[in-house]
Amino acid sequence: MLVEASLIGSAIVEELFYRFFSYNLMSLWTHAPLAVITSILFSFSHYLQKETRETFTLRSYIIIFLLGCSWFYSFFYTHNILFPILGHFLYNLPNIIIAFFKLYLPAKLNSNVEGSDPK
């Protein structure tokens, strides 16, 4: 459940920081440099995480950068933080489903098998 919670929580926390707060802090800049800077920071924050650094390639970071730009513009045009959060959540959704089937479900099935009475 921790993996799923972190994937869901990251969509909310990262978008609040990189789109909402960064946007408000640097609102004196024009939107194009702001989109690039916040998206580079967003990509770099994923590089700082050991797990992603070990599994991500340059292509992964380019995709993260482009997603950051698209989520920035979804916030820029709508002025609604829910759109980038939803986009980030949908991007993380396959990983949430995989984590559920890989980690939680087998543990739950094993606990049911071990706890059943043999007849």
Side-chain angles (χ1 to χ4, degrees):
M1 293 301 281
L2 184 61
V3 173
E4 292 92 347
S6 69
L7 289 170
I8 294 168
S10 70
I12 296 168
V13 173
E14 288 179 356
E15 294 311 313
L16 283 173
F17 180 76
Y18 290 106
R19 296 335 141 212
F20 188 74
F21 295 124
S22 297
Y23 179 81
N24 289 328
L25 287 174
M26 297 184 263
S27 61
L28 298 176
W29 296 7
T30 60
H31 60 87
L34 188 55
V36 170
I37 290 168
T38 58
S39 297
I40 287 172
L41 291 173
F42 179 65
S43 297
F44 185 68
S45 72
H46 287 82
Y47 177 77
L48 294 175
Q49 299 171 7
K50 182 182 178 190
E51 294 80 19
T52 56
R53 189 172 49 245
E54 292 173 349
T55 58
F56 277 22
T57 62
L58 178 61
R59 181 176 182 259
S60 304
Y61 291 109
I62 292 171
I63 291 169
I64 295 288
F65 170 79
L66 294 173
L67 284 168
C69 287
S70 68
W71 294 331
F72 174 87
Y73 279 106
S74 72
F75 176 68
F76 178 77
Y77 287 115
T78 65
H79 298 287
N80 189 339
I81 195 65
L82 292 178
F83 289 107
I85 289 174
L86 181 62
H88 197 145
F89 174 76
L90 290 174
Y91 179 76
N92 285 350
L93 187 60
N95 291 328
I96 294 169
I97 293 169
I98 289 168
F100 175 79
F101 283 109
K102 201 174 187 182
L103 302 172
Y104 178 73
L105 195 58
K108 189 72 170 165
L109 292 173
N110 285 340
S111 67
N112 287 343
V113 170
E114 291 170 1
S116 64
D117 292 339
K119 292 183 181 183

